[in-house]
Amino acid sequence: MLTVIQLKVLEDNYIYLIHDEVSGETAVVDPALTQPVLDELDKKGWRLTYVLNTHHHWDHVEGNLELKNKTDCKVVAAHADWERVPGIDQGVNDGDAIFLGENKLQVIATPGHTSGHIVYYSADSEALFCGDTLFVMGCGRLFDGTAEQLYQSLQTLKALPPETRVYCAHEYTEANGRFALSIEPDNKQLQDKMLTVRQLRAEQKPTVPSTIELERATNPFFRVDSLSVQQTLGLLGENPVRVFTELRKRKDNW
Ligand code: ZN
Ligand code: FE
């Protein structure tokens, strides 16, 4: 079983430390910064085994080189991002795995936000580290990937076990939720979820992690096959990729 620690950095980024008690191995997912990571490692007495990057954007890789210098960790990222991830030691592809002790982290390719985006999934620990692909009640914007790719990637994540915890890289929940409500104003679970979210944010507490089950009920980007989403967009019965593309466009201009 893996221990997960969430560090809040910059405006709204989350860095995750993942630790295996038995072997003592530790990974950090998407270190936007170095110091908070080093401080936490110090505090816990953990040594860093891996940096795991989900994609090449600076707010996910900025700490790579310094962490390599100050610890003896290896940097893992998508093979496709070899040229654009600083300090990369090991390139991985869809279906590959990284081990922390005996804990398997499965690599799943989720292109869309970027063409090389990957996520790390632990079935045993029921945890998904999904970077900027899936957010609470939202999803990443399209940079150098396509809407069709992001739609397929989200379909893959949607099919994970419902109890899977969703550890995304940003606290975008409240704004995402307001957009979601504009698309599905009558979604009762979404209304309830937003009450909880507003309460948490008023107390400056994180709304992350979510779960796949909650996202299925509230995230419009997981719900492009639902009549209420299609109705709002004026796309009843349309092909889901078309609905998704329109939804993503609306969010961009919202
Ligand atoms: Zn990004
Ligand atoms: Fe980001």
Side-chain angles (χ1 to χ4, degrees):
M1 204 62 173
L2 294 164
T3 306
V4 179
I5 288 183
Q6 181 176 39
L7 303 175
K8 189 196 166 299
V9 301
L10 303 174
E11 259 317 78
D12 50 32
N13 278 69
Y14 289 123
I15 298 176
Y16 298 101
L17 279 170
I18 321 175
H19 178 72
D20 170 48
E21 226 20 88
V22 179
S23 63
E25 294 193 327
T26 309
V28 62
V29 181
D30 287 350
L33 291 178
T34 309
Q35 204 51 51
V37 176
L38 292 172
D39 290 347
E40 192 64 29
L41 289 168
D42 227 34
K43 198 170 111 192
K44 298 282 183 189
W46 295 349
R47 69 189 163 78
L48 192 62
T49 319
Y50 291 113
V51 167
L52 305 177
N53 295 127
T54 62
H55 65 297
H56 71 287
H57 285 160
W58 72 271
D59 62 317
H60 299 254
V61 303
E62 191 85 341
N64 282 16
L65 292 179
E66 202 181 335
L67 285 171
K68 263 181 82 160
N69 281 335
K70 297 197 168 160
T71 70
D72 55 2
C73 70
K74 267 170 85 175
V75 173
V76 177
H79 191 73
D81 282 339
W82 192 272
E83 302 292 333
R84 51 188 194 178
V85 168
I88 185 168
D89 295 300
Q90 185 180 345
V92 290
N93 296 303
D94 186 61
D96 287 349
I98 297 293
F99 284 85
L100 289 178
E102 299 196 332
N103 297 274
K104 180 179 175 178
L105 287 164
Q106 190 189 324
V107 175
I108 305 173
T110 58
H113 174 66
T114 66
S115 58
H117 201 296
I118 56 174
V119 301
Y120 300 89
Y121 169 60
S122 164
D124 291 338
S125 296
E126 299 177 334
L128 172 70
F129 301 91
C130 52
D132 289 357
T133 292
L134 172 64
F135 295 125
V136 182
M137 295 184 281
C139 71
R141 284 202 295 149
L142 300 171
F143 282 85
D144 59 323
T146 68
E148 166 129 40
Q149 283 178 325
L150 187 52
Y151 168 76
Q152 292 300 346
S153 297
L154 290 173
Q155 287 296 112
T156 305
L157 300 186
K158 187 179 163 181
L160 292 174
E163 59 279 8
T164 306
R165 280 163 297 145
V166 175
Y167 292 99
C168 54
H170 292 277
E171 179 62 60
Y172 290 161
T173 306
E174 195 167 358
N176 285 345
R178 276 189 276 121
F179 173 74
L181 271 178
S182 79
I183 299 295
E184 286 193 290
D186 300 326
N187 180 333
K188 180 75 172 68
Q189 269 178 285
L190 179 54
Q191 294 166 358
D192 292 347
K193 169 88 181 173
M194 270 310 269
L195 290 178
T196 316
V197 163
R198 290 204 168 102
Q199 182 74 43
L200 285 168
R201 294 314 291 156
E203 295 165 16
Q204 294 181 16
K205 287 183 183 152
T207 65
V208 178
S210 177
T211 63
I212 291 295
E213 183 170 32
L214 267 170
E215 293 313 301
R216 292 179 70 114
T218 59
N219 190 328
F221 294 96
F222 264 11
R223 297 171 55 75
V224 292
D225 54 354
S226 82
L227 293 183
S228 49
V229 171
Q230 294 181 0
Q231 202 141 32
T232 301
L233 299 176
L235 294 172
L236 260 183
E238 272 292 344
N239 153 335
V241 176
R242 166 109 205 274
V243 179
F244 180 83
T245 307
E246 176 61 24
L247 188 62
R248 190 54 263 179
K249 222 176 271 166
R250 289 240 190 157
K251 178 66 165 49
D252 290 340
N253 300 320
W254 191 64

